[in-house]
Amino acid sequence: MKSERASFGSKLGIILATAGSAVGLGNVWRFPYMAGEHGGGVYIIVYIACVLLLGIPCIVSEFVIGRRAASNTARAYGILSGGKPWMLVGLLGVLTGFLISGYYAVVSGWCLHYIYASVAGHLHGSPDFFAGYFSSFETNPWKPAFWTLLFMLITHLIIIRGIRGGIEKASKLMMPILFVLLIVIVVLSCMLPGAMEGVKFLFEPDFSKVDGSMFLGALGQAFFSLSIGMGCLCTYASYFSKDTDLMKSAAQIAFIDTVVAVLAGLMIFPAAFSVGISPDSGPSLVFITLPNVFQQAFSSMPAVGYVVSAAFYALLALAALTSIISMHEASTVFFEEECKLSRKRAATIVTVACSVIGLVCSMSLGGYDLLTVFGRTLFDVFDFFTGQIMLPVGGFLTCIFLGWFLPHKLVRDEFTNHGTLRGRLFGIYLFCVRYVCPVGILLIFLQQFGII
């Protein structure tokens, strides 16, 4: 089984593909508005601490499980636990990524539409116009559905080409483009009048903003941003070679993920401060506030404004694509190995199923009563159930599995094959996985429901 398994062709491919899995809308969309709501600079300090204490140990844990078992995520837990019920934890991760792929494709499709709208010059008018434009598009029964299906088709065409010819090749192309777009927009944003106030807000810590809500918000952002608990990292690790340095790879991925998030803040806040937009505009920042920001910021150069707007939404689409590819792959390899299907047929099953989920989630936003559950749209139901229940539970159980169930010698042997993690450092890692990560994830989970 292991000798026939596909693998990444280079260390660069490993880093870019797994970093692409982590880098997504959570970095470019969620991180800036979370930083805006929690005081900018001080939030970044706490966020980085959470990545170091929670993110990296959890990434390494999924890497250990994936590479050791060299199998899909569900089977990996079963192999390492001797077929015990722990396999259900792996299956939960696959199911979580599968369900997220469906509704995630809806928001990703919005990004494709906004690229088109920017290039076509449709995004101009008053602030009320942008709110009305988004509402009209979001509730349209057919337009969002078209862009959702297009996004899933693009994902499918990459997945069926395999690990080296599809995922690795696409990641080597898309991740550099993503960084170039980020840097270009950051430079343009920081050149605007009054932009330095935004830079100051982002990097000058205001310790008066420190409270329990801010800590839990940073902890949650670190956890969700790094794609922990949805089977992606475990699946990608199953394609790692034995000479891959797991700790170093995890640190590099966390570093890239954090850099992208901070650059996203540098892209948004200088432009927002330049035109007097509040930094705590919330989730509407991307699709309602930012088009207005770009229009006002580049009012004397409307053509540049259109280009910057199109580049920004292209950046969002690329970030979304690198993430959804990893979730799709986790489900595809599950069907491929468990049902003994060809890769193309397994990928087709996942694409069709996720497209159906995406369509009903998209249509639920149009006010169809049949597509609501207890007053919530299906889109909101999928978002809530996967993000606030399934991900924390999966991440918590993974830490328990690796920290308390697996033999420590197995864990140590798996990523000390080059002597990269010995003695006291291994002890620190194990302490984080056994105590810090489970407690942190449990706090996030309880906070979601107002218990603490």
Side-chain angles (χ1 to χ4, degrees):
M1 177 70 181
K2 290 185 181 182
S3 61
E4 298 174 356
R5 191 168 183 76
S7 64
F8 287 108
S10 66
K11 291 181 180 179
L12 178 63
I14 289 172
I15 297 301
L16 292 181
T18 47
S21 171
V23 172
L25 293 177
N27 304 75
V28 186
W29 166 57
R30 194 172 189 269
F31 179 86
Y33 86 72
M34 287 290 289
E37 291 178 350
H38 292 289
V42 70
Y43 176 85
I44 293 178
I45 293 173
V46 175
Y47 173 78
I48 291 174
C50 291
V51 168
L52 293 174
L53 293 174
L54 173 69
I56 292 178
C58 283
I59 293 173
V60 172
S61 299
E62 292 207 27
F63 281 177
V64 168
I65 295 167
R67 187 173 72 175
R68 183 74 175 192
S71 181
N72 69 75
T73 301
R75 187 183 291 184
Y77 283 79
I79 290 172
L80 297 184
S81 64
K84 294 181 174 63
W86 284 106
M87 183 176 180
L88 295 175
V89 178
L91 188 60
L92 175 64
V94 175
L95 179 62
T96 302
F98 174 78
L99 296 178
I100 290 175
S101 297
Y103 82 85
Y104 198 85
V106 177
V107 183
S108 306
W110 295 349
C111 298
L112 292 182
H113 172 76
Y114 267 68
I115 296 172
Y116 160 75
S118 299
V119 172
H122 294 167
L123 300 181
H124 57 85
S126 66
D128 289 340
F129 165 81
F130 291 109
Y133 182 89
F134 178 71
S135 177
S136 175
F137 167 72
E138 180 190 37
T139 56
N140 186 288
W142 307 115
K143 288 182 181 179
F146 167 77
W147 293 107
T148 298
L149 291 176
L150 179 59
F151 196 88
M152 285 305 307
L153 177 61
I154 294 170
T155 305
H156 179 78
L157 293 175
I158 293 172
I159 290 292
I160 61 173
R161 295 180 65 84
I163 303 304
R164 296 193 185 187
I167 295 173
E168 183 173 353
K169 192 173 182 179
S171 298
K172 285 182 175 179
L173 174 66
M174 291 189 294
M175 289 301 289
I177 292 175
L178 187 151
F179 268 100
V180 169
L181 287 175
L182 254 179
I183 292 170
V184 167
I185 302 175
V186 165
V187 171
L188 290 172
S189 181
C190 289
M191 291 173 61
L192 295 170
M196 287 303 105
E197 286 301 311
V199 176
K200 182 179 177 182
F201 170 81
L202 191 62
F203 291 116
E204 187 173 285
D206 179 2
F207 291 100
S208 67
K209 299 288 187 179
V210 176
D211 57 21
S213 174
M214 189 269 286
F215 271 96
L216 289 171
L219 199 63
Q221 175 65 21
F223 180 68
F224 298 124
S225 175
L226 292 168
S227 296
I228 296 166
M230 59 182 70
C232 307
L233 300 177
C234 187
T235 298
Y236 275 6
S238 72
Y239 305 128
F240 287 3
S241 63
K242 282 296 179 184
D243 63 353
T244 300
D245 188 327
L246 299 187
M247 191 67 180
K248 183 178 179 181
S249 297
Q252 289 170 331
I253 291 159
F255 175 76
I256 292 172
D257 189 75
T258 303
V259 167
V260 170
V262 174
L263 284 175
L266 269 177
M267 171 178 62
I268 290 171
F269 290 124
F273 272 82
S274 176
V275 297
I277 298 293
S278 173
D280 58 353
S281 296
S284 66
L285 194 67
V286 167
F287 294 105
I288 298 176
T289 306
L290 280 183
N292 182 46
V293 168
F294 291 138
Q295 176 182 276
Q296 292 186 50
F298 298 98
S299 57
S300 61
M301 301 175 289
V304 175
Y306 293 145
V307 171
V308 171
S309 181
F312 172 76
Y313 290 109
L315 166 67
L316 272 184
L318 284 173
L321 185 58
T322 56
S323 290
I324 206 170
I325 283 172
S326 65
M327 291 183 282
H328 195 300
E329 174 62 19
S331 300
T332 295
V333 73
F334 171 80
F335 282 106
E336 185 180 2
E337 294 180 351
E338 299 305 314
C339 301
K340 302 194 182 326
L341 300 174
S342 67
R343 182 175 186 83
K344 187 173 183 179
R345 181 166 293 183
T348 300
I349 290 173
V350 176
T351 298
V352 171
C354 289
S355 296
V356 171
I357 294 173
L359 287 176
V360 295
C361 285
S362 177
M363 292 179 69
S364 73
L365 297 172
Y368 296 99
D369 291 337
L370 291 176
L371 298 177
T372 59
V373 179
F374 300 117
R376 286 175 176 259
T377 66
L378 281 182
F379 181 93
D380 290 334
V381 169
F382 273 84
D383 183 29
F384 172 81
F385 195 69
T386 57
Q388 298 186 32
I389 298 178
M390 297 175 75
L391 277 178
V393 169
F396 177 83
L397 292 176
T398 294
C399 291
I400 298 300
F401 176 68
L402 190 134
W404 295 94
F405 182 83
L406 285 186
H408 292 169
K409 184 179 185 304
L410 181 153
V411 179
R412 182 192 292 268
D413 290 346
E414 186 57 34
F415 56 78
T416 57
N417 52 329
H418 291 288
T420 55
L421 197 62
R422 292 188 180 276
R424 188 172 298 175
L425 189 56
F426 178 79
I428 293 172
Y429 160 75
L430 200 58
F431 177 81
C432 286
V433 171
R434 300 188 78 185
Y435 301 104
V436 178
C437 296
V439 170
I441 294 169
L442 185 62
L443 287 174
I444 297 169
F445 188 78
L446 296 177
Q447 190 264 348
Q448 300 287 358
F449 296 96
I451 298 174
I452 58 174

